[in-house]
Amino acid sequence: MSFITQEVAPLVESRFRGDKTGRVIGGSSLGGLFAIAAAYKAPGFFAGHVAISPAAGWNQGALAKLDEQYARTHKSLPARMFISYGGDEYAGFREPIVAFQRQLATRNYSGLALRNYRMEGLDHTSVKGDGYVRGLDWVWQPRRPAGPSGLTRAMTQQAQ
């Protein structure tokens, strides 16, 4: 986490016009676990967290324990978080995700916008495409400009 927050993000933002207020982290499986843990380990550093089939049961439920520990001393969790899983995932992998989603939803952290999403007919290997598209669309929703996109405006003007 410190490598990302202290080296990667500053480098990207200085070289590529990165916006510090729009940082998003995402991952699938263990990467999804990391994307959620980042909200607790570096609160507010990322605006959005996209977790596709996160390994919520890893290490005897370390993610739920991290949330429990955080909740003891914090009332807010500043993030837009999208957590999804496939309806056809192996039950032993799916159920810890569902349990964590429930636990997180009951916290009522201020500053947390949470979207839980079940992808019907998909399993652990097939959730990524739909999950990332829906997750990024959701976490970036508040940043979406009003009105038609630049491409739509340009195409409309050309047609006239």
Side-chain angles (χ1 to χ4, degrees), residues 2-156:
S2 61
F3 175 67
I4 292 171
T5 60
Q6 296 171 15
E7 295 185 44
V8 175
L11 178 69
V12 169
E13 290 159 1
S14 69
R15 291 192 181 173
F16 302 104
R17 297 183 315 171
D19 180 1
K20 294 177 183 183
T21 65
R23 295 180 188 126
V24 174
I25 187 167
S28 174
S29 200
L30 282 172
L33 173 72
F34 186 80
I36 295 170
Y40 298 100
K41 297 293 186 176
F45 187 81
F46 297 99
H49 302 259
V50 177
I52 311 302
S53 294
W58 178 80
N59 196 20
Q60 290 80 44
L63 186 57
K65 293 173 188 170
L66 177 62
D67 176 64
E68 289 168 9
Q69 180 183 7
Y70 184 87
R72 286 187 200 117
T73 56
H74 297 83
K75 297 294 180 206
S76 74
L77 187 61
R80 285 185 67 82
M81 190 176 295
F82 179 90
I83 305 173
S84 66
Y85 64 93
D88 291 350
E89 297 215 38
Y90 170 67
F93 197 88
R94 180 184 64 236
E95 293 310 314
I97 298 169
V98 172
F100 178 74
Q101 287 176 321
R102 244 185 318 240
Q103 176 179 326
L104 186 56
T106 62
R107 293 280 184 222
N108 293 317
Y109 288 118
S110 68
L112 176 64
L114 177 63
R115 171 80 164 106
N116 293 324
Y117 185 69
R118 176 184 169 113
M119 293 180 274
E120 295 302 333
L122 300 179
D123 63 17
H124 195 68
T125 59
S126 59
V127 294
K128 293 170 188 66
D130 189 33
Y132 283 118
V133 169
R134 290 179 185 273
L136 290 171
D137 184 59
W138 192 81
V139 298
W140 280 330
Q141 187 177 19
R143 300 176 67 85
R144 184 177 297 135
S149 70
L151 177 60
T152 301
R153 286 192 311 271
M155 297 302 287
T156 305

